Amino acid sequence: MTRVIADISLSLDGFVTGPDPDPDNGLGVGGEALHTWAFSDDLDDRRILREATARSGAVVLGRRLFDIVDGPEGWNDDVGYGAGEVGKPAFIVVTNSPPQAVRLTDLDWTFVTTGLPDAVAAARKRAEAASAQRGQDLDVVLMGGGATIGSAIDAGLVDALTLHLAPVVLGAGTPLFSGAAPRTLVQRSVTSTSTATHLTYDIP
């Protein structure tokens, strides 16, 4: 069964970027510390990254994040979603209008201009098709940014939330939850390493 899983790294004070993020520094000042775990040699960090990318049938991201990862300082063969892991999933971008050009033409991009629910629905269809092709259940992964994930949770579009809590205080930046409605989640797993505490919650 295909589920929708929001997956993002954040600081101890709840930020998913540091201060002053821009297209040349998408994680903001000090924000690179949030993703230290993704480049770690720790066996648990590697396992969690491998399992997350292996279960991805489709990935949803917002336009601002797309502009960063597709920009000149963005993803490459060594840095990017699933780099060095399994084959790349389909990427669904929520946007008001498609870009005029795409740098990462080797990736499968779909641009949805009719809102987040339609983007998640399109991603679910792609993930279900990939599941049938591979013979295993694959998920839709919401990788961000923070506003996209927060909006998806508020809209009831997300089944589970995976947080990679970095041992860093950024002081400012982009919050994951801003004005979110109160809710209680169901904790499913906790894995601690030297670089992060990996937490998974079901969202009732």
Side-chain angles (χ1 to χ4, degrees):
M1 178 179 177
T2 295
R3 300 204 305 159
V4 178
I5 300 175
D7 189 308
I8 197 164
S9 300
L10 79 165
S11 66
L12 290 174
D13 49 348
F15 295 107
V16 297
T17 76
D20 302 319
D22 59 42
D24 294 327
N25 183 17
L27 290 173
V29 178
E32 65 279 353
L34 299 175
H35 291 167
T36 298
W37 72 272
F39 302 96
S40 164
D41 292 327
D42 183 281
L43 293 180
D44 281 328
D45 286 331
R46 301 309 304 168
R47 174 184 58 79
I48 288 167
L49 182 63
R50 182 175 62 252
E51 290 175 352
T53 54
R55 73 167 186 256
S56 302
V59 175
V60 176
L61 62 158
R63 177 57 187 270
R64 181 183 172 279
L65 182 55
F66 165 79
D67 287 342
I68 291 170
V69 302
D70 194 56
E73 302 301 321
W75 289 353
N76 54 45
D77 290 341
D78 299 317
V79 177
Y81 193 93
E85 301 292 340
V86 297
K88 305 296 190 297
F91 292 90
I92 313 297
V93 181
V94 188
T95 180
N96 290 325
S97 61
Q100 293 184 347
V102 175
R103 178 178 66 87
L104 298 170
T105 55
D106 59 324
L107 298 180
D108 181 354
W109 298 104
T110 298
F111 299 91
V112 175
T113 60
T114 52
L116 182 55
D118 286 347
V120 171
R124 186 183 293 276
K125 287 183 180 179
R126 297 297 299 273
E128 289 172 348
S131 297
Q133 185 176 24
R134 282 207 222 168
Q136 67 181 92
D137 288 336
L138 299 175
D139 296 322
V140 172
V141 176
L142 273 67
M143 66 171 288
T148 299
I149 287 179
S151 296
I153 292 174
D154 286 343
L157 300 173
V158 180
D159 300 306
L161 173 64
T162 296
L163 300 176
H164 310 285
L165 187 63
V168 59
V169 175
L170 294 174
T174 305
L176 177 57
F177 298 110
S178 179
R183 66 174 64 241
T184 299
L185 309 185
V186 179
Q187 184 168 289
R188 290 304 183 197
S189 67
V190 179
T191 301
S192 295
T193 71
S194 62
T195 58
T197 301
H198 306 280
L199 304 138
T200 298
Y201 302 91
D202 285 340
I203 302 179

